[in-house]
Amino acid sequence: LPGYHLALLPEETEDAPPGIRVQDPTFGLPAVWCAERNLPEAERLGLTAVEAPAVVTTHLLEELRKSAHRLLDRQEVKKLVDKVKETAPALVEELVPGLLPLGSIQKVLKRLLQERIPIRDLVSIFEALADHAPSIKNIEVLTEYTRAALAPTITRQFADEEGRVHAFVLDPLLEQHFIQLASDGQFNPNTLGLESGRAERFAEEADRLAKRLIARGHPPVLLTSPVLRPALFAFLAPLVSDVAVLSYNDLVPDAALEVADQLRLP
């Protein structure tokens, strides 16, 4: 609404400034459109109020980020490879097509974009692929190695202005249970090895904790073991809006981490 500000409301609160109750279009949180005269009340309640043009811009950028992996075809990948070749010809000549075909590189880049990991640092991505492609052809595993190479980028992306990464984690017993399932080959992205009721409960808890982080002004990050990360993202992505599932390898060793919550199941 022109001339209004959108104030996000924490889920736990009943207090809200006068205005029009809506759902935030970007993150799906409860919100209220406030007239300028009601902004002091929003500030008194500690709410963040965003101007209307910024709401539109944020929503548009989020939709573009969600769709970026769909826009990356082989021709675009060929252009990216040719661009890297201008400054790192030896790297590209080693990698393409001797170690990996263009289609495999495209799959890795699409996986990164699908999880909203920037691919601007193509030299680091190609270096990681060149290092591991001689012995590994599995796209999922190669993607995890490229993520580790992009740890400085990922850390900056999810850190706040003070350089702290806010995340929720799995309860240690639950995480150990999942790791045991993975070692037995029973941890999968469809059910996580849980019966349907418990899998549904897991998704609900993850959604609740993700929305709590968003309400506090932080990206919704679940931090977990590298062994579990891909399957957890595949399971949660359709169910928990905008969730980012990071592994400990995705962050630089000295990253300042703030654990906001633990996800528990009875």
Side-chain angles (χ1 to χ4, degrees), residues 139-180:
I139 298 299
E140 186 175 283
V141 177
L142 286 174
T143 303
E144 293 305 303
Y145 278 118
T146 61
R147 292 174 66 100
L150 294 173
T153 299
I154 296 173
T155 303
R156 286 194 301 272
Q157 179 180 356
F158 290 99
D160 61 16
E161 294 178 354
E162 298 175 350
R164 304 184 70 83
V165 177
H166 299 257
F168 65 98
V169 298
L170 300 180
D171 172 76
L173 290 177
L174 178 61
E175 185 163 61
Q176 191 57 46
H177 175 65
F178 281 156
I179 290 173
Q180 183 61 51

Side-chain angles (χ1 to χ4, degrees), residues 5 7 14 31 33 57 59 64 98 110 112 161 165 175 207 212 220 226-227 229 234 243 261 264:
H5 289 65
E14 293 295 327
W33 282 111
T57 303
H59 191 191
L64 287 173
K110 284 170 75 76
L112 293 171
E161 294 178 354
V165 177
E175 185 163 61
D207 186 56
R212 182 178 291 180
V227 177
R229 197 208 69 76
V243 69
D261 288 291
R264 296 182 174 88

Side-chain angles (χ1 to χ4, degrees), residues 10-250:
E11 288 188 303
E12 301 86 5
T13 185
E14 293 295 327
D15 295 329
I20 303 170
R21 288 288 192 115
V22 293
Q23 189 178 58
D24 166 54
T26 305
F27 303 110
L29 294 174
V32 59
W33 282 111
C34 298
E36 296 230 8
R37 64 179 179 275
N38 294 322
L39 285 180
E41 176 66 13
E43 293 173 1
R44 186 187 68 79
L45 294 171
L47 305 177
T48 300
V50 184
E51 294 180 346
V55 175
V56 175
T57 303
T58 302
H59 191 191
L60 176 60
L61 288 174
E62 282 299 310
E63 291 304 316
L64 287 173
R65 289 190 186 103
K66 289 177 184 177
S67 303
H69 65 284
R70 299 189 181 95
L71 305 176
L72 189 71
D73 58 22
R74 273 178 168 77
Q75 189 58 43
E76 290 300 321
V77 174
K78 179 65 165 60
K79 291 178 183 177
L80 294 174
V81 170
D82 290 343
K83 189 68 176 175
V84 175
K85 194 172 183 178
E86 295 175 6
T87 56
L91 173 60
V92 172
E93 288 167 9
E94 178 186 355
L95 181 62
V96 187
L99 294 177
L100 284 177
L102 202 64
S104 295
I105 296 173
Q106 179 197 19
K107 289 175 183 177
V108 171
L109 296 179
K110 284 170 75 76
R111 279 177 173 265
L112 293 171
L113 289 174
Q114 187 176 10
E115 299 198 43
R116 306 194 202 169
I117 303 300
I119 60 170
R120 298 185 194 93
D121 188 3
L122 284 169
V123 171
S124 293
I125 293 173
F126 289 0
E127 289 276 7
L129 292 176
D131 287 342
H132 298 285
S135 58
I136 299 169
K137 301 302 178 186
N138 183 289
I139 298 299
E140 186 175 283
V141 177
L142 286 174
T143 303
E144 293 305 303
Y145 278 118
T146 61
R147 292 174 66 100
L150 294 173
T153 299
I154 296 173
T155 303
R156 286 194 301 272
Q157 179 180 356
F158 290 99
D160 61 16
E161 294 178 354
E162 298 175 350
R164 304 184 70 83
V165 177
H166 299 257
F168 65 98
V169 298
L170 300 180
D171 172 76
L173 290 177
L174 178 61
E175 185 163 61
Q176 191 57 46
H177 175 65
F178 281 156
I179 290 173
Q180 183 61 51
L181 289 176
S183 68
D184 295 338
Q186 298 176 11
F187 188 73
N188 63 74
N190 298 318
T191 65
L192 303 182
L194 302 172
E195 59 188 51
S196 60
R198 289 170 68 81
E200 184 178 342
R201 175 65 174 161
F202 180 90
E204 290 172 352
E205 277 296 290
D207 186 56
R208 182 179 68 84
L209 297 181
K211 286 181 176 176
R212 182 178 291 180
L213 278 172
I214 293 172
R216 295 172 183 170
H218 306 302
V221 174
L222 168 60
L223 189 63
T224 187
S225 162
V227 177
L228 307 178
R229 197 208 69 76
L232 280 173
F233 173 77
F235 176 78
L236 291 174
L239 305 172
V240 182
S241 178
D242 301 309
V243 69
V245 183
L246 304 184
S247 82
Y248 301 107
N249 291 344
D250 290 335

